[in-house]
Amino acid sequence: AMEEVCAKFVSQKISKTRWRPLPAAALHPPEVFATGSWDNEDNRISIWSVGDLGNAGVNGEYQGEPQLLCDIRHNGDVMDMQFLDQERIVVASSTGTVTVFRHHQNNQTLSANHRWEKAHYHVDQDTSCGGAACTGVICNNPEIVTVGEDGRINLFRADQKDAVRTIDNADSSTLHAVTFLRTTEILTVNSIGQLKIWDLRQQRNEPSQIFSLTGDRVPLHCVDRHPNQQHIVATGGQDGMLSIWDIRQGTIPVSLLNAHEAEMWEVHFHPSNPDHLFTCSEDGSLWHWDTSTDVSEKPSFLHQGGRSTTYFSHNTINHSVVSAWLSNDPTKDRMEITNLIPSQTLSVNSLDILGPCLVYGTDAEAIYVNRQLFA
């Protein structure tokens, strides 16, 4: 039912969309999200509300489009963006700078709270043209980790002026994305199909483990860790394939799943319901991967988008999420995949998912919100 999705045309190509995290005890769905833009004359960080704002329809369902609360200019393309807490957002720029913006909720304004100029750079920090794109950022308040085109890893603390730690030649190729495995360990993916684990307690500047796609060393663009099973990691790359890794064993993916027809830009496990996973791509599609058991018996609760729903076999011996993602044994149970975008659009660059709510942004200068994903 398409009525669940509302679109907002924003006259900017949207590179990132992120829900503001909910306070620990919150029972209501998320209402505020941030977007960042790229490839525009004037790039912006914007804060939006999908709160009901008196627009409820006859049955109380939400009718209105997202409302802009505030925005601020951003120097360079927004390459990545993460909320540090309820008020602060960390933004990675193509100029190599990393900025912490603060959203002042009392008067709905945004301000630059702190900036690490040229956190990533090619030659040296002082040359005017030396900036290298900061491609990824991940936060575990107060810690912020950034990676970049320069193969560098920075560890910042929100309240400190200088980097806590920098690993200068962490990688000889571009680092595209980073995630925390646990508070002291991070995982990076690079442009030659490698996944590396770094233990931040170690003073040496080498990864503690290296995993690799076999064969063509396809660039990996995105990574996410299973929220409950920290050894399960999903990555997506230039060929649109979804790879599932078990970092406890082997150095290659446990399974490779045919997915998109072009680059996969983001992959996200649902934070509280991780048998659901979401991916988006340059090919204009956004896929929902559902490994919850007994898929065959329940109606698809998402409209059948551009492709017919496909089924992948998987093994759920003990009906746990773990076996679903880690198995490559075809048995009677299946994985259901639904494209949530019924008509192909330009590249879907970013998605974020929290509770029943999905937000995504496209090169077609639009943001889309679905607040009834599991209706």
Side-chain angles (χ1 to χ4, degrees), residues 7 38 65 79 84 92 198 277 286 303 361:
W38 80 288
E65 53 180 36
M79 303 293 287
L84 180 67
W198 306 81
L277 178 120
L286 190 159
H303 61 270

Side-chain angles (χ1 to χ4, degrees), residues 2-6 50-65 371-372 375:
M2 273 310 293
E3 304 77 67
E4 290 158 17
V5 180
C6 57
V50 292
D52 291 336
L53 302 169
N55 289 335
V58 245
N59 304 320
E61 77 279 14
Y62 174 72
Q63 304 265 291
E65 53 180 36
R371 298 178 79 202
Q372 297 172 316

Side-chain angles (χ1 to χ4, degrees), residues 4 8 10 31 55 60 63 79 96 127 133 139 162 170 188 198 215 241 247 257 270 283 292 341 366 374:
E4 290 158 17
K8 173 85 176 176
V10 293
E31 291 187 348
N55 289 335
Q63 304 265 291
M79 303 293 287
T127 51
C139 303
D162 298 316
T188 58
W198 306 81
M241 296 279 278
I247 59 174
L257 300 168
H270 190 289
D283 69 10
S292 57
I341 302 180
F374 301 103

Side-chain angles (χ1 to χ4, degrees), residues 326-364:
L326 292 187
S327 151
N328 37 25
D329 274 62
T331 59
K332 63 183 195 308
D333 285 306
R334 303 179 290 185
M335 167 146 66
E336 188 179 11
I337 301 167
T338 314
N339 180 9
L340 300 188
I341 302 180
S343 52
Q344 295 297 84
T345 173
L346 295 176
S347 178
V348 182
N349 296 322
S350 183
L351 73 98
D352 196 27
I353 176 104
L354 189 55
C357 300
L358 165 73
V359 59
Y360 60 96
T362 71
D363 271 354

Side-chain angles (χ1 to χ4, degrees), residues 271-309:
S272 52
N273 198 350
D275 44 358
H276 298 271
L277 178 120
F278 298 82
T279 59
C280 63
S281 166
E282 179 72 29
D283 69 10
S285 62
L286 190 159
W287 285 16
H288 171 207
W289 306 69
D290 179 1
T291 63
S292 57
T293 46
D294 302 325
V295 185
S296 47
E297 290 159 29
K298 68 175 188 198
S300 173
F301 48 73
L302 297 156
H303 61 270
Q304 308 300 307
R307 298 171 192 220
S308 58
T309 295

